[in-house]
Amino acid sequence: MASENGLIASGDYIKHHLQNLTYGQNPDTGVWELAHTAAEAKDMGFMAVHLDTLGVSFILGAFFLFFFYRIGQKMTADTPSGAQNFIESIIEFIDENVRGSFNGKNPMVAPLALTTFIWIVLMNTMDLVPVDWLPYLAQQIGVFFGADPHHVFFKVVPTTDPNATFGMSIGIFFLILYYSIKEKGAGGFAGELLFHPFGKMMLPFNLFLEGVNLIAKPVSLALRLFGNMYAGEMIFILIALLPFWIQWSLSLPWAIFHILIVLLQAFIFMTLVIVYMDMAHQKEH
Amino acid sequence: MNINLTMIGQLIMFAMFTWFCMKFIWPPIVAAMDERKKRIESGLIAAERGLSEHKEAQQKAQEMLNQSKDQAAEIIANAGRQASTMVEDAKDTASQEADRIKTSAQAEIDQEANRVRNELKDQVSDLVMQGVNSVLAKEVDAKTHKDMLGKLSQTL
């Protein structure tokens, strides 16, 4: 009986960790409020926001911009300081990647790649914060404001929320469409969709193939990042279910391995963004 | 894991961050890096130029050194030659002078000898005349005899 209770408790623990802090209109009462349960959050439908995802990603993005902006204003061409060196090595790394993969001329692509890379790295890195710290802190704050501790949800890693990854990839998708039409012309872009790869006779088939190809870009971009980070977070949560004195033996190796995933996923996302931008800028096929 | 407005919010945030990055972060950093690159490049070029200039100067100095060495050698050779010719000349003039002095001395000696001989001749003829005078004081016409004796002394 006790073990069954324990099982239910761990199930609740996991579910609690995977629930976002949702703000929306309660369909039953019509009141705008924070969802108290996962079911309530689900019922709020599309017109709701995940405050934790938006908040954490905003703080991280602002931190990134602030840090880079400060260093950027103090840049000198003389002997650089340590922070400047750090920033420069990142910029150089991004620039090298953009130069290597992007053949068009667009001053937006490199900053886009930089923002993408650093922001995703920071969001992913939240995974390395022990899984209970920030949710516990949020819970304490919630309780301070008079909330039921079981109803205060807090999902720390924004990239484990598909909203975050899809939000970014849809932005990229718009950019792909915009630059495809701008660089190739509406006719050129339509031609690419209709007459490629098999010529006029296979028009519907071409459209289907290219359409899937086009749609697959943002979807794969979002799902790859989300899937990797969600799985990583899940494993951290499962490790956190173990007795505390044994947790380090699994969480430490996993965290070390996760550092690789954090950087790798951000790098893949950035590289694909550059490649997609390059494809959108290619004039002839 | 519900899809909702968060997505749109994230999209707007992403766009804003990218815009800010493009506007205020990327340009100054890249500008500073480019400037440093240029500085390093020009520094390297200047260093190379300095090196080649140094080499050139060295070469020039070596050339000048060689030239002056040649000049010095030439001067020394000239001086030697001049000295030897001067010595030769001096020798020549000295021997010439010696010859000249010798001949003039000879001529003087000859002249003196002649003069002394003539004097002696005159004295002898006077003596003879005195002797003859004293011997033949009465008999002889002094004038004719004197002429005779004068002719005689001249043949001596």
Side-chain angles (χ1 to χ4, degrees):
Chain A
M1 199 62 189
S3 70
E4 203 171 294
N5 274 343
L7 216 59
I8 290 167
S10 53
D12 283 347
Y13 175 81
I14 294 169
K15 274 184 198 158
H16 195 267
H17 262 286
L18 294 179
Q19 178 56 43
N20 283 104
L21 181 67
T22 312
Y23 181 81
Q25 188 180 28
N26 192 328
D28 295 333
T29 58
V31 185
W32 285 85
E33 58 177 0
L34 290 169
H36 296 104
T37 63
E40 252 184 59
K42 193 166 188 158
D43 286 341
M44 285 172 177
F46 188 76
M47 296 303 288
V49 286
H50 292 162
L51 295 180
D52 46 2
T53 300
L54 287 178
V56 172
S57 57
F58 178 78
I59 288 168
L60 294 174
F63 168 73
F64 148 62
L65 291 178
F66 174 72
F67 182 62
F68 272 59
Y69 181 75
R70 262 187 59 122
I71 305 296
Q73 293 303 306
K74 287 194 292 185
M75 284 291 283
T76 71
D78 293 325
T79 315
S81 63
Q84 186 180 332
N85 247 339
F86 173 67
I87 299 258
E88 278 184 19
S89 61
I90 292 174
I91 297 272
E92 204 140 304
F93 165 70
I94 304 281
D95 205 39
E96 220 164 85
N97 271 293
V98 172
R99 271 173 217 275
S101 310
F102 183 72
N103 298 313
K105 276 207 162 55
N106 191 338
M108 196 221 47
V109 173
L112 174 68
L114 174 67
T115 312
T116 311
F117 181 68
I118 302 292
W119 199 25
I120 292 178
V121 165
L122 289 175
M123 289 195 287
N124 289 354
T125 306
M126 295 311 287
D127 224 354
L128 299 174
V129 179
V131 279
D132 277 324
W133 283 11
L134 292 178
Y136 181 74
L137 188 70
Q139 209 165 40
Q140 294 309 305
I141 293 170
V143 168
F144 178 77
F145 284 111
D148 183 343
H150 289 293
H151 294 163
V152 178
F153 303 104
F154 200 82
K155 207 168 159 191
V156 180
V157 191
T159 40
T160 57
D161 181 355
N163 286 298
T165 62
F166 269 104
M168 294 181 80
S169 74
I170 285 170
I172 300 299
F173 183 62
F174 286 154
L175 285 176
I176 291 173
L177 292 182
Y178 174 72
Y179 282 114
S180 290
I181 291 168
K182 191 183 165 200
E183 293 294 320
K184 301 166 191 178
F189 185 43
E192 202 176 288
L193 289 180
L194 295 175
F195 307 131
H196 192 260
F198 292 121
K200 260 180 213 169
M201 303 313 289
M202 302 278 274
L203 197 145
F205 184 67
N206 288 341
L207 182 59
F208 172 71
L209 209 63
E210 288 290 310
V212 167
N213 199 356
L214 189 64
I215 301 296
K217 284 173 186 172
V219 173
S220 68
L221 212 51
L223 286 182
R224 181 183 304 108
L225 180 58
F226 162 69
N228 274 284
M229 297 326 290
Y230 189 78
E233 174 80 343
M234 194 70 174
I235 288 173
F236 275 120
I237 294 170
L238 290 177
I239 291 170
L241 287 172
L242 295 172
F244 74 92
W245 47 268
I246 197 75
Q247 281 179 17
W248 64 271
S249 68
L250 287 173
S251 64
L252 181 68
W254 181 246
I256 291 169
F257 177 65
H258 209 63
I259 293 172
L260 182 70
I261 296 179
V262 162
L263 291 171
L264 193 66
Q265 284 306 317
F267 178 68
I268 289 172
F269 200 101
M270 178 197 77
T271 307
L272 285 175
V273 165
I274 297 170
V275 169
Y276 291 160
M277 285 293 111
D278 181 52
M279 286 162 85
H281 281 73
Q282 265 171 12
K283 280 199 175 102
E284 72 282 331
H285 242 296
Chain B
M1 276 226 275
N2 315 305
I3 294 289
N4 54 30
L5 274 181
T6 312
M7 195 168 70
I8 311 292
Q10 193 79 8
L11 168 57
I12 293 166
M13 207 144 62
F14 184 39
M16 274 171 14
F17 286 163
T18 303
W19 173 81
F20 187 87
C21 180
M22 185 177 76
K23 208 80 182 164
F24 299 110
I25 292 176
W26 190 264
I29 295 177
V30 170
M33 285 166 75
D34 277 352
E35 198 194 321
R36 178 171 327 118
K37 214 180 276 174
K38 259 182 226 152
R39 249 189 234 185
I40 290 172
E41 214 165 273
S42 64
L44 284 176
I45 289 171
E48 201 142 304
R49 200 191 307 132
L51 206 68
S52 72
E53 263 168 21
H54 175 237
K55 214 176 255 180
E56 216 168 276
Q58 245 178 353
Q59 213 170 349
K60 212 176 265 180
Q62 190 62 44
E63 245 166 57
M64 276 165 80
L65 205 67
N66 286 344
Q67 216 169 355
S68 47
K69 257 185 204 165
D70 286 356
Q71 258 173 0
E74 205 176 315
I75 287 168
I76 288 170
N78 275 350
R81 214 175 306 135
Q82 211 168 337
S84 66
T85 50
M86 270 166 80
V87 168
E88 286 298 309
D89 282 358
K91 254 188 215 166
D92 281 0
T93 44
S95 67
Q96 269 168 19
E97 188 76 0
D99 282 353
R100 204 174 51 76
I101 289 169
K102 225 175 17 184
T103 48
S104 76
Q106 190 67 45
E108 217 167 296
I109 288 167
D110 286 354
Q111 215 176 337
E112 193 71 6
N114 268 343
R115 198 181 55 81
V116 169
R117 199 180 290 153
N118 285 343
E119 218 167 274
L120 265 177
K121 259 188 229 167
D122 283 352
Q123 275 176 6
V124 168
S125 70
D126 275 358
L127 263 176
V128 170
M129 274 308 289
Q130 266 177 357
V132 171
N133 260 357
S134 56
V135 171
L136 303 171
K138 292 165 192 169
E139 308 164 39
V140 177
D141 182 13
K143 197 176 172 294
T144 41
H145 285 138
K146 199 176 179 185
D147 285 345
M148 256 165 63
L149 284 175
K151 275 175 197 165
L152 187 72
S153 79
Q154 244 156 29
T155 57
L156 277 171

